[in-house]
Amino acid sequence: MTRTVLVPSSLTREAEDKREATRKLGYVARAAVIFRVDRLVVYPDSSGDDGRFGDGFVDTVLRYAATPPDLRKELWGRRDELAYVGVLPPLRVASQTGSESDDSGSLRQGIVTEVGSDDRVRVNCGMQHPVSLPVPPAMATPREGERVTVRVTSRRPVRARLLDIPPSGYQVERADLQAVLARPDAGVRIAASRHGEPVSPRLLEDIEPARGDSTVVFGAPKRGLPKILGVEPSDVTDGSGDGPGSDCDTDEPLSRFDLWLNTVPNQASKVVRTEEAMFASLAVLTME
């Protein structure tokens, strides 16, 4: 089961400064971890992104937040985008398990620092130095900078192996919205919008998002999904999509989704922030 969440590159466009923008992204990261999001995808919203904090600011901060704390300094160093990462809330993702002396070893998160030509990669996994490990035959060769899972059975001498299982927490991508919705594991495609159909037990029973693959897409401050996709809110309200289980017509923005869903149907505030919408939506969609 793969749970994918998409947020726009313009997510922090209305933050007063880089500090507040970083804090906002910290809440997004917390929501992703709490509700077991596998992939957090940043999709381009060029018309809504004022670029105040530089191209790639959103995905850089989210990647940093997902990095195990003991690897952050060596991996990231000093970067302008990370000037205020001290305000990020701790994610408390389990990056290590087990005991070093246990026969089964400890599971650790590592960062690929170098990809060799002999089906080996060098991985920084909190040891004194990066370790060179063979890539399992059935595993796709990870990219440089990618997080991986390593089982360490001995530190002296070093004995470790790469595991073909996803690391704890979320992976960050930067990808086109249409391409992500067309992936084989997109599952139920949900657009989160105040113009969508109010959430109800019947809807959740029909789509069962907690029991299979799902993809949930969020808009930006003052630029909800209808505006980002260039459709009228009235078209969403009128139910122009084909509903759950429809084929994805990539030429029509509305029919790219199985459902336009309003997870805060009786909001008393004029605006629900994206990070707030994430908590509200994922809390509902992960119920079994």
Side-chain angles (χ1 to χ4, degrees):
M1 183 179 72
T2 302
R3 185 168 293 151
T4 304
V5 166
L6 287 86
V7 295
S9 60
S10 55
L11 182 60
T12 59
R13 65 192 298 263
E14 290 193 335
E16 293 183 0
D17 51 34
K18 192 178 293 185
R19 182 188 182 91
E20 182 57 33
T22 303
R23 190 189 306 275
K24 181 185 184 77
L25 293 174
Y27 295 135
V28 171
R30 283 285 295 172
V33 168
I34 289 171
F35 297 106
R36 296 183 179 275
V37 170
D38 301 294
R39 287 192 303 234
L40 191 53
V41 181
V42 180
Y43 67 90
D45 175 25
S46 56
S47 59
D49 192 352
D50 58 11
R52 281 192 300 153
F53 308 120
D55 184 47
F57 172 77
V58 171
D59 43 296
T60 296
V61 174
L62 291 175
R63 289 179 197 274
Y64 178 91
T67 304
D70 58 331
L71 301 178
R72 287 175 177 174
K73 183 176 181 180
E74 182 172 347
L75 179 64
W76 292 99
R78 292 183 176 275
R79 300 180 58 162
D80 291 341
E81 302 99 314
L82 306 177
Y84 294 100
V85 291
V87 304
L88 290 172
L91 301 188
R92 303 297 295 270
V93 179
S95 58
Q96 310 189 132
T97 61
S99 167
E100 293 174 5
S101 60
D102 191 84
D103 290 340
S104 63
S106 61
L107 292 185
R108 295 169 173 262
Q109 287 194 48
I111 304 293
V112 175
T113 59
E114 184 180 343
V115 178
S117 58
D118 54 353
D119 293 326
R120 299 182 72 90
V121 292
R122 291 184 65 81
V123 180
N124 184 340
C125 55
M127 310 288 278
Q128 187 173 2
H129 303 287
V131 293
S132 177
L133 301 173
V135 179
M139 180 179 176
T141 301
R143 302 181 301 273
E144 186 174 328
E146 186 174 340
R147 287 188 299 124
V148 292
T149 302
V150 176
R151 185 182 296 281
V152 179
T153 55
S154 172
R155 294 179 65 94
R156 296 178 183 173
V158 174
R159 293 192 183 95
R161 59 191 176 95
L162 202 60
L163 299 182
D164 190 9
I165 59 175
S168 303
Y170 60 85
Q171 297 277 14
V172 180
E173 297 181 26
R174 189 179 179 100
D176 180 72
L177 172 61
Q178 181 173 322
V180 177
L181 291 175
R183 289 177 177 175
D185 62 353
V188 179
R189 303 175 300 265
I190 299 171
S193 171
R194 65 188 179 94
H195 302 289
E197 185 173 357
V199 67
S200 68
R202 177 188 60 80
L203 272 178
L204 296 180
E205 185 176 348
D206 287 343
I207 62 178
E208 294 190 328
R211 292 182 171 85
D213 298 334
S214 62
T215 299
V216 188
V217 185
F218 296 91
K222 291 189 178 180
R223 280 182 59 81
L225 276 177
K227 191 169 185 179
I228 289 176
L229 296 174
V231 300
E232 293 297 325
S234 58
D235 292 336
V236 176
T237 306
D238 292 341
S240 299
D242 293 328
S246 63
D247 293 332
C248 184
D249 178 359
T250 56
D251 294 328
E252 171 52 52
L254 284 178
S255 62
R256 294 175 189 170
F257 299 94
D258 297 304
L259 186 68
W260 287 73
L261 188 62
N262 180 1
T263 56
V264 193
N266 298 308
Q267 65 187 65
S269 174
K270 291 183 179 179
V271 177
V272 175
R273 297 171 180 173
T274 303
E275 63 272 26
E276 296 169 338
M278 281 187 65
F279 277 99
S281 301
L282 295 176
V284 169
L285 296 174
T286 54
M287 293 177 61
E288 296 187 6

